[in-house]
Amino acid sequence: ETGVTQTPRHLVMGMTNKKSLKCEQHLGHNAMYWYKQSAKKPLELMFVYSLEERVENNSVPSRFSPECPNSSHLFLHLHTLQPEDSALYLCASSPGQGTSDTQYFGPGTRLTVL
Amino acid sequence: AQSVAQPEDQVNVAEGNPLTVKCTYSVSGNPYLFWYVQYPNRGLQFLLKYITGDNLVKGSYGFEAEFNKSQTSFHLKKPSALVSDSALYFCAVSQGGTASKLTFGTGTRLQVTL
């Protein structure tokens, strides 16, 4: 799991707070991803970045704002979240060569919104 | 639109017995299929993938999966289960583009008992 790291591992925030999740990959990959994992639901792809350009935004509410300053780092900025946003947020990376790429996941950030 | 179905929420098997975790898919064009495993409080770990070629794919930790195009299935198998295999298993299918975009199933919990 040292290939993709995520901080913090746990986060508790109020609905009016602003916080950021950080992801870093040490694999030399060109694509990075944010997923949301909620109980009893399939993993939901939120954002995809390829070569630091956003290529996918799956109808995610604007209270989630991604940032990819370079191919090794990905952030998810959070503001005015709702309790239903509580979930495990997973970051992944892949070589960026196409459809058959294997994605490698970080350990996730467990987010609780009060 | 592509989709993946994992019809069993949980599979129970005794240690030493063979295990099968089922997955069926729906996709236009050639499928790229993946299996991941998730241990408690951890991210997803890649097990194996099917791109093309042999229908039997071998992966990590003694797991293998059989691709069956006529039945649109990609079942995960292991000849002899271990207690340490107990975890949550996800099947996924990838769609096209410059970066892979995985659609996941809902997951199957594997419980291996002594």
Side-chain angles (χ1 to χ4, degrees):
Chain A
E1 286 186 321
T2 55
V4 181
T5 58
Q6 291 186 244
T7 54
R9 294 293 306 273
H10 301 272
L11 178 62
V12 179
M13 59 186 290
M15 293 169 59
T16 59
N17 291 158
K18 291 185 180 180
K19 297 287 184 182
S20 296
L21 310 184
K22 179 183 176 181
C23 176
E24 184 173 1
Q25 60 96 0
H26 311 271
L27 300 170
H29 288 166
N30 291 319
M32 297 188 77
Y33 311 77
W34 280 117
Y35 288 88
K36 176 183 179 182
Q37 185 178 23
S38 306
K40 307 295 185 183
K41 294 177 68 175
L43 275 79
E44 302 170 55
L45 177 63
M46 300 174 71
F47 300 104
V48 180
Y49 277 84
S50 179
L51 295 171
E52 301 144 47
E53 180 180 339
R54 191 189 310 179
V55 297
E56 185 87 6
N57 176 352
N58 276 354
S59 302
V60 179
S62 59
R63 57 185 183 269
F64 295 91
S65 175
E67 179 189 2
C68 187
N70 55 62
S71 60
S72 298
H73 294 85
L74 184 65
F75 295 89
L76 188 63
H77 303 299
L78 316 171
H79 63 96
T80 59
L81 294 191
Q82 305 298 311
E84 60 264 29
D85 297 322
S86 298
L88 181 67
Y89 288 85
L90 293 164
C91 174
S93 72
S94 74
Q97 294 171 354
T99 311
S100 63
D101 271 3
T102 297
Q103 292 184 26
Y104 294 89
F105 286 78
T109 295
R110 174 70 62 186
L111 174 67
T112 303
V113 181
L114 301 176
Chain B
Q2 61 187 34
S3 65
V4 171
Q6 293 182 244
E8 302 155 316
D9 288 340
Q10 180 155 329
V11 170
N12 299 306
V13 64
E15 188 174 55
N17 284 358
L19 69 87
T20 299
V21 182
K22 295 180 180 177
C23 172
T24 58
Y25 66 90
S26 174
V27 64
S28 57
N30 293 323
Y32 299 109
L33 297 158
F34 300 76
W35 276 102
Y36 284 83
V37 60
Q38 186 177 34
Y39 296 97
N41 301 314
R42 304 279 288 275
L44 276 67
Q45 295 180 31
F46 169 72
L47 282 178
L48 51 82
K49 70 179 177 182
Y50 172 82
I51 301 175
T52 186
D54 283 344
N55 291 339
L56 187 64
V57 179
K58 294 189 181 297
S60 305
Y61 313 119
F63 284 93
E64 57 190 26
E66 187 170 9
F67 172 68
N68 188 316
K69 187 172 183 178
S70 62
Q71 297 185 5
T72 61
S73 67
F74 189 56
H75 300 332
L76 182 70
K77 301 182 179 185
K78 187 174 182 181
S80 179
L82 299 172
V83 172
S84 57
D85 292 329
S86 299
L88 190 56
Y89 290 80
F90 291 95
C91 182
V93 63
S94 176
Q95 66 185 68
T98 54
S100 71
K101 300 170 190 175
L102 294 175
T103 298
F104 284 86
T106 50
T108 297
R109 186 163 301 282
L110 174 66
Q111 187 69 45
V112 182
T113 54
L114 291 171

